[in-house]
């Protein structure tokens, strides 16, 4: 019984060491993600002024309202993607969203909204298996075959998408789509801290996402 306090002390010390290691790894990965990619983030004006072009514009999905219209956060992404396309930055827009349920379809809603903004239907490619950020970027690289691309999403999310693209070996340029404050932004930003860790390790081993071979269609 005299050794029990020592065992408890050792377990407590080990638990503290594990937590400290996780915290340090999270800080290091987040620093790597943000500092390593922020130089790739540009405005549409900079893209035009510098004559930047790419194989495709990847716009990442977000929530769609019950009536099939995009949420504010998604509408802003789509509007920036349309502006890039109309500026001649790339010949194709990839609308990558979640379509696992027959009652919920991000990618088709994204296509309809892009068409309403003047992007021709034939210039839009629909990725119905863009279930998460890693999957969307992976599939743009492997299922579509983009050697270079613009990635469009809000700034807090953009660094992670660019990190994934870099680690998968594709040249990417980020264009942030922030047009104002969004509901639940603090929640999104906190969740992003953990998501960067997860996607760093997925990209490190080049994990194949769910439905990796499902085609990206016109």
């Amino acid at each position: 019984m005299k050794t029990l306090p020592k065992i408890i002390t050792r377990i407590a010390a080990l638990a503290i060491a594990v937590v400290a290691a996780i915290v340090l790894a999270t800080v290091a990965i987040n620093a790597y993600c943000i500092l390593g990619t922020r130089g790739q983030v540009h405005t549409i004006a900079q893209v035009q002024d510098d004559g930047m072009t790419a194989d495709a514009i990847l716009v990442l999905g977000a929530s769609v309202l019950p009536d099939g219209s995009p949420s504010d956060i998604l509408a802003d992404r789509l509007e920036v993607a349309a502006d890039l396309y109309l500026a001649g930055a790339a010949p194709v827009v990839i609308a990558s969203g979640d379509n696992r349920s027959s009652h919920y379809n991000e990618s088709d809603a994204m296509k309809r909204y892009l068409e309403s903004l003047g992007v021709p239907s034939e210039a839009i490619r629909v990725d119905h298996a863009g279930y998460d950020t890693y999957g969307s970027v992976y599939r743009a690289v492997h299922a579509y075959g983009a050697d270079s691309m613009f990635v469009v999403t809000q700034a807090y999310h953009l660094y992670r998408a660019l990190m994934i693209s870099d680690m998968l070996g594709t040249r990417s340029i980020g264009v942030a789509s922030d047009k104002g404050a969004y509901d639940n932004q603090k929640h999104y930003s906190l969740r992003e801290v953990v998501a960067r860790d997860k996607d760093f390790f997925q990209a490190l081993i080049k994990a194949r996402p769910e439905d990796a071979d499902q085609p990206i269609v016109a």
Side-chain angles (χ1 to χ4, degrees), residues 137-215:
V137 176
Y138 183 100
R139 286 171 49 71
V141 174
H142 293 283
Y144 180 75
D147 291 322
S148 61
M149 59 186 172
F150 291 96
V151 182
V152 178
T153 185
Q154 278 70 26
Y156 79 93
H157 185 208
L158 190 54
Y159 303 117
R160 174 161 56 109
L162 291 171
M163 176 189 71
I164 295 165
S165 177
D166 287 350
M167 293 178 73
L168 294 179
T170 292
R171 179 180 67 85
S172 289
I173 300 163
V175 180
S177 59
D178 303 79
K179 294 189 175 185
Y182 301 102
D183 293 338
N184 300 316
Q185 183 59 63
K186 288 183 179 179
H187 168 73
Y188 295 147
S189 297
L190 287 172
R191 186 178 65 181
E192 190 67 13
V193 171
V194 177
R196 288 171 186 149
D197 285 2
K198 174 181 69 71
D199 284 351
F200 171 83
F201 288 108
Q202 286 198 100
L204 187 65
I205 65 172
K206 296 180 172 51
R208 284 173 59 80
E210 184 180 352
D211 292 338
D213 297 324
Q214 182 174 320

Side-chain angles (χ1 to χ4, degrees), residues 14 32 62 83 86 191 215-217:
L14 178 61
Y32 170 79
D83 289 344
L86 295 172
R191 186 178 65 181
I216 294 176
V217 298

Side-chain angles (χ1 to χ4, degrees), residues 67-126:
D67 65 359
S69 61
S71 58
D72 289 346
I73 201 167
L74 180 56
D76 287 350
R77 295 178 190 182
L78 294 166
E79 288 164 12
V80 169
D83 289 344
L84 275 172
Y85 172 81
L86 295 172
V92 167
V93 180
I94 301 173
S96 185
D98 190 343
N99 186 30
R100 277 176 287 195
S101 167
S102 60
H103 304 293
Y104 184 76
N105 190 326
E106 288 179 2
S107 44
D108 284 349
M110 293 166 72
K111 180 176 181 179
R112 288 193 299 271
Y113 197 72
L114 286 166
E115 289 173 339
S116 76
L117 297 171
V119 181
S121 178
E122 60 270 21
I124 302 171
R125 301 292 181 270
V126 178

